[in-house]
Amino acid sequence: MAETVLMNTGGLATTNCFLVADKAAKQAVLFDAPDHTTVPLLDEAQRRDWDVIGLWLTHGHFDHVADHVEVIRRFPSVQVLIHRLDEPKLLRPNSSGFPLPFTITPRRADGYLEDGQKLSIGSLECEVIHTPGHSSGHVMFHFPAEKLLVGGDLIIGGAVGRTDLADSSPTALYSSIRRVMALPPDTRLLPGHGNVGTLRDELETNPYVRAAMGLEGGDAAEMER
């Protein structure tokens, strides 16, 4: 495989952070920046002489953006990308309503992610999928050739993203799940929380995904995260 995927998990919300690299091109992108979590991945990128060209954010909740300053400090040319609807969270990261024991530096995005947008990491090509529900500007990153999906908090290893927040919507979340589940079932899902698996795993075992798909054994109970 041309791609290398590194993962670290940490921070207040036990959030996953992924570094996806084209090892031949020595280019990499960090997906999300949980608090106190990015440094080991940045260390490894520097050790391998990879150029981290981007911090691509699935959405703007504090546990996915908090370490952005550390990323920029280590790789000053990094482009921070987010969907336009979630940029307000990046501009006001300390106003989420969750009491934080640290302060997150506000910043503007360097560019905006849009549904259907094509991006690349060296020879790795991905498409942005706008998947609102947990957050109005939530996106996922699909690498079709690698059968890889960086998923954020839409589907999170046996559960789904919480929908009791100001700009969340259970209806939109279920619609986004149905759209994503049309991808090949052996697509690897790199979720914002929980364990890495496949879309097939989630369809077979995740009661929320099953409910969204109208399958028996689904559970339309309150969303969890």
Side-chain angles (χ1 to χ4, degrees):
M1 293 186 294
E3 88 281 4
T4 298
V5 179
L6 304 178
M7 171 183 176
N8 195 35
T9 304
L12 286 179
T14 316
T15 304
N16 296 333
C17 181
F18 297 97
L19 188 71
V20 177
D22 179 338
K23 56 188 177 183
K26 292 188 175 294
Q27 271 193 358
V29 164
L30 196 71
F31 291 89
D32 292 342
D35 58 285
H36 308 95
T37 302
T38 61
V39 169
L41 297 178
L42 299 173
D43 286 345
E44 189 63 18
Q46 289 184 320
R47 188 186 73 81
R48 299 190 189 199
D49 195 29
W50 292 343
D51 182 22
V52 179
I53 62 170
L55 170 57
W56 299 352
L57 299 169
T58 60
H59 60 298
H61 291 156
F62 82 89
D63 58 314
H64 293 259
V65 307
D67 251 13
H68 72 82
V69 170
E70 184 64 32
V71 180
I72 300 301
R73 184 181 72 80
R74 300 283 289 276
F75 291 90
S77 63
V78 157
Q79 293 290 292
V80 178
L81 306 182
I82 196 170
H83 193 280
R84 194 180 299 272
L85 290 176
D86 260 34
E87 188 186 34
K89 300 180 184 68
L90 192 58
L91 292 169
R92 296 183 294 277
N94 304 291
S95 59
S96 65
F98 299 99
L100 302 177
F102 49 79
T103 299
I104 304 171
T105 302
R107 69 160 292 143
R108 289 192 174 277
D110 296 311
Y112 298 107
L113 300 166
E114 298 180 358
D115 189 58
Q117 182 178 358
K118 301 295 194 297
L119 299 169
S120 61
I121 307 168
S123 65
L124 308 178
E125 297 182 351
C126 83
E127 180 177 349
V128 177
I129 306 174
H130 181 212
T131 50
H134 175 61
S135 176
S136 59
H138 190 286
V139 301
M140 301 171 86
F141 301 88
H142 181 221
F143 294 80
E146 290 72 29
K147 293 188 177 180
L148 182 69
L149 182 65
V150 181
D153 285 3
L154 182 72
I155 303 169
I156 48 177
V160 291
R162 60 187 295 173
T163 55
D164 60 344
L165 305 171
D167 65 337
S168 61
S169 162
T171 301
L173 183 127
Y174 271 23
S175 178
S176 293
I177 289 173
R178 287 191 290 271
R179 181 181 181 192
V180 166
M181 294 307 292
L183 298 175
D186 57 345
T187 299
R188 288 175 292 155
L189 174 64
L190 309 184
H193 305 268
N195 297 324
V196 172
T198 66
L199 293 183
R200 179 183 288 111
D201 295 334
E202 297 299 330
L203 184 62
E204 292 177 351
T205 65
N206 187 327
Y208 304 98
V209 170
R210 293 180 63 80
M213 302 302 291
L215 298 174
E216 291 184 8
D219 184 353
E222 182 181 354
M223 310 309 168
E224 292 191 355
R225 270 193 192 274

